[in-house]
Amino acid sequence: QVQLVESGGGLVQPGGSLRLSCVASGSIFNIYVMGWYRQAPGKQRELVATITSGSSTDYADSVKGRFTISRDNAKNSVYLQMNSLKPEDTAVYYCNARLITNPLITNNYWGQGTQVSVSS
């Protein structure tokens, strides 16, 4: 029923910027929390940032001051503005949403991921 589709990844030089987008579609009644996670090869998936329906945000220490998460509730979308990118930011970035569907069932959903590569 529900799909999350990420976009905006790519190759960028250190110090550059990227903006990731994620759109949730399907029989969605309400979205409580949306967020971004990332996973580098051989490493565990880690939290990058989350944002609630009331626009309360939380960031990993490694991205504070560089990344900004935002959302558009009307579009069921979440965004991640990434500035001052570092090589260690290289990973597959995944969109996550905790939401309730029209049958009134709450679940977590994941997107397919988008690759972010930071190198010179």
Side-chain angles (χ1 to χ4, degrees), residues 11 34 45 58 65 70 80 84 95-96 103 107 112 118:
L11 175 64
M34 301 188 79
R45 189 173 299 185
D58 189 34
S70 61
L80 186 68
S84 302
C95 177
N96 173 265
N107 281 117
Q112 81 289 341
V118 185

Side-chain angles (χ1 to χ4, degrees), residues 18-52:
L18 285 173
R19 182 176 174 86
L20 305 183
S21 299
C22 173
V23 180
S25 62
S27 301
I28 300 171
F29 182 76
N30 192 26
I31 301 178
Y32 298 112
V33 184
M34 301 188 79
W36 291 94
Y37 295 72
R38 67 187 182 186
Q39 187 168 22
K43 297 183 179 180
Q44 295 185 14
R45 189 173 299 185
E46 64 176 353
L47 170 71
V48 177
T50 60
I51 184 167
T52 69

Side-chain angles (χ1 to χ4, degrees), residues 2 7 9 18 27 31-32 37 44 51 64 67 69-70 73 76 79 83 94 98 111 117 119:
V2 177
S7 62
L18 285 173
S27 301
I31 301 178
Y32 298 112
Y37 295 72
Q44 295 185 14
I51 184 167
K64 287 181 179 178
F67 292 8
I69 189 170
S70 61
N73 292 332
N76 289 337
Y79 311 94
N83 298 326
Y94 296 91
R98 181 157 59 250
S117 298
S119 68

Side-chain angles (χ1 to χ4, degrees), residues 1-3 25-30 99-105:
Q1 295 184 16
V2 177
Q3 275 193 313
S25 62
S27 301
I28 300 171
F29 182 76
N30 192 26
L99 55 83
I100 183 170
T101 56
N102 280 330
L104 302 181
I105 299 174

